[in-house]
Every structure is written in C-alpha cells, then in structure tokens.
Amino acid sequence: MTTDQMLIETIKNLNSNIEILNNHLENLTKNIPVLTEVVDANFGATKDLVDELKQR
C-alpha cells in the first residue's frame, strides 16, 4: 500500500469516526431535556425532604 493510499484510508476512517461522534452527540443532545427534568425532580424531592427533616 502506498503512502497516498494509507492517507486516503486514514481520512476515510477519520470521516467515519466523525460521523459516529456526531450521531452520539445528536443522541446526547436529544436527551438533555429529559435529563434536566429528572435532575429538577430529584432536586425538588431532595429539597422537600430536607425541609421535612428540619421540621422534626
């Protein structure tokens, strides 16, 4: 395999990896609103629990 062929293969692999990373990023981005809701709900529940424990 020539150097040019190796470079072409490397570039193809890099492009493929970039595409895979873009797909992962897209999936993560889609999940951010759901994760935010979960974090907010947990924070609210924790705050309520702390308030309740303070009143005891």
Side-chain angles (χ1 to χ4, degrees):
M1 185 179 280
T2 67
T3 303
D4 285 351
Q5 288 171 326
M6 289 177 12
L7 284 172
I8 289 169
E9 281 303 307
T10 300
I11 291 169
K12 285 181 182 178
N13 288 335
L14 286 170
N15 283 338
S16 175
N17 288 336
I18 289 169
E19 186 175 338
I20 290 167
L21 287 170
N22 279 337
N23 289 336
H24 287 308
L25 182 58
E26 185 178 324
N27 289 333
L28 288 170
T29 303
K30 286 179 188 174
N31 289 327
I32 287 174
V34 175
L35 291 171
T36 301
E37 281 184 40
V38 170
V39 169
D40 287 347
N42 285 333
F43 177 75
T46 301
K47 186 178 178 304
D48 292 346
L49 180 59
V50 168
D51 291 343
E52 183 180 326
L53 290 172
K54 283 180 181 177
Q55 292 175 4
R56 289 185 181 184

